[in-house]
Amino acid sequence: MQKWFNTAGPCKADIHYMLPASERLPELEKLIAQENYFVIHAPRQTGKTTAMINLAKELTESGQYVAVMLSVEVGAAFPHNPQLAQNSILNSWWNQVRFLQLPLPNPSQIQQETGVSQLDLQTVLQAWSMASALPLIIFVDEIDALSDETLISVLRQFRSGYPNRPKGFPQSLALIGMRDVRDYKYASGGSDRLQSSSPFNIKVQSFTLSNFTLEDVNRLYKQHTEATGQIFTPEAVDLAFHLTQGQPWLVNAIAKEIVEYIAKDPAIEINVDLIEQAKEILIKRQDTHLDSLAERLREDRVRIIVEPILSGQELVNTPEDDLRYVLDLGLCNRDSRGGIQIANPIYREVIPKVLSSITIASLTSIAPTWLDQDGNLNAQALLDSFIMFWRQHGEPLFGSTPYPEIAPHIVLMAFLHRVVNGGGTLEREYAIGSGRMDICLRYGTVILAIELKVWRDKNPDPIKEGLQQLDKYLSGLSLDTGWLVIFDRRSGLPPLSDRTTTENVISPAGREIIVIRG
């Protein structure tokens, strides 16, 4: 049977390329054998549900357990009515158990045996465990969809039944979601979190499902090669891993775009050019996965971390919970030294584009005067167009951005997106504490490197530091010229239209630099 790269819902082994669940979380089988309860949390679309469904299948097929993955998501509609939530959850559980044809008693059998007319989760799990000839293993998916009284009720029932395992309660039970237990919502409106795992203090450990390694990406792509003969070059695999940092949805999405749309003929070798092409399509299209991340950018607790990263500033007095939140979302990760950074190059492309989307929509009337008659980019014409745009539209557009502290960055990015919309690309580099953002604009044969710096109150003119940083950036790109843009954010300045200037300077390494101040 033909298989496909999957980007929608859990993978199915018979129709999708996938990696074995037990290999992604090898510690779990030992924990299950030791009758432990635990938590697995990871960002959306990293393969949690796929891994747990298939692990349950592997455990059941081993003949040692009866294992099943069950969701509690339907109970989210009743945050303040635990009984209605449980009724909804139990109905979905029985549908799943019936579909899987597991040897577990149905509701009427449990009611008849227990004499209980109104069933709850603890009663059902106890009845299932007592009736099963083999130890029962339960994976509870979407646990953090629940909140308030319903969440507390469910967690306390699990804790209450725990001492009776394995004969009178599941031998092992795992909570699966985006967040760890202490971060589950419990207050009205979901604005507060548990702050401790006390309603589920029986957990022995919390795990996160890691992204794919380079070897994992290679193995996944090789499944397609073995099935169709279509080859991914080693350089293409390396680039796919670099762009995605192994994020499972992105790894699959890039491959799917290529093999199903860009290069459908298996005789076409998949090289770095096709990987780049697929990446640009994903960024431009902004599919559900990327769109859902974009929605998070509007949350204050995300903004206070992403905003300093984009501007290269330090994180100041950032709540530990907010830091954990962006890590759990998968929006950021830690670098090799423990610092915070945007999780992968594709997210680094998407985030500024999303933040500048409203501003971009305001620029459709700006004519592309930076192109010559043959459609080629003229660098001097681009500079002239930018200065005119900045003087006329920069300040009024600052209010259109959701991140006011980096409004100039976002407006500039909107302008550059307008430039590359006709057939170029933008690449960005930024990091906490670097005090800078690097931009590389590519349009045909033209490559333009831009360094962004901010001049704030009580700080010296950043031109010296900016020229040194730009020299390093230009050296890496093998370029002799570039732009240094200095946003002057000091108080008491004249209007942007009056203070925007340009000058040509020579960098410490002897390069010709255009310094733009505004």
Side-chain angles (χ1 to χ4, degrees):
M1 177 181 291
Q2 186 172 5
K3 291 189 176 184
W4 311 91
F5 290 102
N6 182 37
T7 58
C11 292
K12 296 183 176 181
D14 57 336
I15 62 171
H16 295 137
Y17 302 124
M18 57 182 291
L19 301 176
S22 55
E23 292 184 11
R24 296 196 67 192
L25 286 166
E27 311 97 327
L28 296 193
E29 291 194 37
K30 181 174 72 173
L31 289 180
I32 290 168
Q34 293 175 347
E35 302 182 6
N36 287 314
Y37 283 26
F38 51 92
V39 174
I40 298 173
H41 64 95
R44 291 199 181 280
Q45 295 179 304
T46 53
K48 297 187 302 295
T49 302
T50 293
M52 294 303 100
I53 287 175
N54 285 280
L55 180 57
K57 186 172 182 290
E58 291 173 17
L59 291 171
T60 299
E61 290 177 348
S62 74
Q64 300 180 63
Y65 308 103
V66 172
V68 62
M69 171 77 145
L70 299 168
S71 175
V72 294
E73 185 176 16
V74 293
F78 311 100
H80 305 295
N81 194 323
Q83 192 57 62
L84 284 179
Q86 288 179 93
N87 291 344
S88 182
I89 290 168
L90 288 173
N91 283 336
S92 72
W93 283 13
W94 275 306
N95 287 336
Q96 182 68 2
V97 165
R98 186 168 59 249
F99 171 74
L100 296 173
Q101 298 181 324
L102 296 177
L104 300 173
N106 61 40
S108 59
Q109 291 173 317
I110 296 174
Q111 288 172 326
Q112 183 177 359
E113 182 177 323
T114 62
V116 176
S117 59
Q118 191 72 53
L119 297 178
D120 59 19
L121 271 60
Q122 183 177 350
T123 302
V124 169
L125 290 174
Q126 177 176 305
W128 281 358
S129 301
M130 293 175 66
S132 178
L134 296 171
L136 184 64
I137 313 298
I138 301 290
F139 299 113
V140 182
D141 199 16
E142 300 289 353
I143 184 66
D144 47 359
L146 304 182
S147 60
D148 303 316
E149 292 97 323
T150 292
L151 172 63
I152 298 298
S153 174
V154 169
L155 294 180
R156 284 177 174 165
Q157 288 182 68
F158 293 159
R159 184 177 64 182
S160 179
Y162 173 79
N164 299 325
R165 73 196 193 291
K167 297 296 184 181
F169 215 63
Q171 170 168 316
S172 191
L173 183 146
L175 304 181
I176 319 296
M178 284 182 59
R179 313 294 312 276
D180 201 354
V181 176
R182 61 174 289 161
D183 299 314
Y184 294 168
K185 295 172 292 186
Y186 80 95
S188 180
S191 60
D192 296 314
R193 287 157 291 281
L194 293 177
Q195 301 304 328
S196 82
S197 59
S198 56
F200 195 67
N201 58 7
I202 50 178
K203 71 166 186 173
V204 67
Q205 201 166 347
S206 291
F207 295 93
T208 187
L209 196 63
S210 300
N211 285 339
F212 292 156
T213 64
L214 174 59
E215 179 56 30
D216 289 336
V217 176
N218 192 40
R219 289 169 53 215
L220 186 72
Y221 286 179
K222 274 188 175 178
Q223 292 179 28
H224 175 74
T225 300
E226 291 168 358
T228 67
Q230 189 169 33
I231 294 172
F232 286 81
T233 68
E235 295 79 11
V237 177
D238 288 345
L239 180 59
F241 176 74
H242 166 71
L243 293 172
T244 64
Q245 291 299 294
Q247 203 287 330
W249 187 91
L250 292 175
V251 169
N252 277 276
I254 281 179
K256 185 179 183 70
E257 189 65 33
I258 295 172
V259 304
E260 294 187 29
Y261 302 101
I262 302 174
K264 293 188 284 187
D265 184 352
I268 299 174
E269 184 178 78
I270 298 173
N271 56 25
V272 294
D273 291 338
L274 292 179
I275 298 289
E276 285 282 1
Q277 190 176 341
K279 178 207 75 171
E280 291 298 324
I281 290 172
L282 292 181
I283 291 171
K284 184 176 181 180
R285 196 168 63 208
Q286 207 167 302
D287 287 337
T288 303
H289 170 77
L290 298 176
D291 197 43
S292 63
L293 280 178
E295 281 299 311
R296 301 287 186 177
L297 295 173
R298 294 169 174 81
E299 299 179 19
D300 287 342
R301 58 202 308 226
V302 173
R303 180 186 56 77
I304 64 172
I305 292 174
V306 171
E307 195 168 47
I309 292 178
L310 294 181
S311 60
Q313 302 302 307
E314 301 284 351
L315 293 178
V316 180
N317 298 325
T318 304
E320 181 64 27
D321 179 65
D322 292 342
L323 195 55
R324 246 191 346 262
Y325 182 58
V326 296
L327 293 171
D328 285 348
L329 287 175
L331 194 59
C332 297
N333 62 17
R334 294 191 182 275
D335 60 24
S336 58
R337 294 171 296 178
I340 300 299
Q341 62 183 1
I342 303 300
N344 58 64
I346 290 180
Y347 290 177
R348 288 203 294 267
E349 295 286 321
V350 169
I351 289 171
K353 183 178 179 183
V354 169
L355 294 176
S356 59
S357 59
I358 296 175
T359 312
I360 291 171
S362 306
L363 306 184
T364 54
S365 61
I366 296 178
T369 54
W370 47 81
L371 299 179
D372 62 22
Q373 291 182 343
D374 297 323
N376 299 315
L377 182 69
N378 182 297
Q380 183 59 48
L382 176 62
L383 176 62
D384 295 340
S385 296
F386 172 67
I387 296 302
M388 183 180 297
F389 157 79
W390 195 248
R391 285 174 173 157
Q392 292 180 353
H393 305 288
E395 210 150 35
L397 286 173
F398 288 173
S400 68
T401 68
Y403 283 24
E405 286 296 311
I406 56 169
H409 300 67
I410 294 175
V411 173
L412 172 59
M413 294 304 303
F415 175 81
L416 295 177
H417 273 294
R418 175 72 179 88
V419 173
V420 302
N421 192 46
T425 62
L426 280 178
E427 300 165 9
R428 306 164 193 83
E429 292 291 337
Y430 38 79
I432 284 284
S434 67
R436 61 196 262 208
M437 178 193 285
D438 301 326
I439 300 173
C440 181
L441 182 152
R442 300 177 188 270
Y443 199 108
T445 59
V446 176
I447 302 175
L448 175 61
I450 305 172
E451 180 89 13
L452 310 186
K453 299 289 289 183
V454 178
W455 190 357
R456 301 185 186 277
D457 284 326
K458 301 180 180 179
N459 290 330
D461 187 341
I463 186 168
K464 181 178 179 181
E465 183 183 32
L467 288 172
Q468 292 173 340
Q469 291 171 340
L470 183 54
D471 262 335
K472 292 180 181 178
Y473 191 40
L474 292 171
S475 176
L477 293 169
S478 299
L479 297 176
D480 294 324
T481 62
W483 289 6
L484 172 59
V485 181
I486 298 177
F487 299 127
D488 198 335
R489 302 292 276 169
R490 292 175 298 161
S491 54
L493 295 174
L496 188 64
S497 57
D498 295 340
R499 69 174 190 264
T500 298
T501 62
T502 65
E503 63 174 322
N504 295 318
V505 304
I506 302 300
S507 73
R511 294 183 173 87
E512 296 181 8
I513 307 299
I514 297 173
V515 179
I516 304 167
R517 295 179 182 271

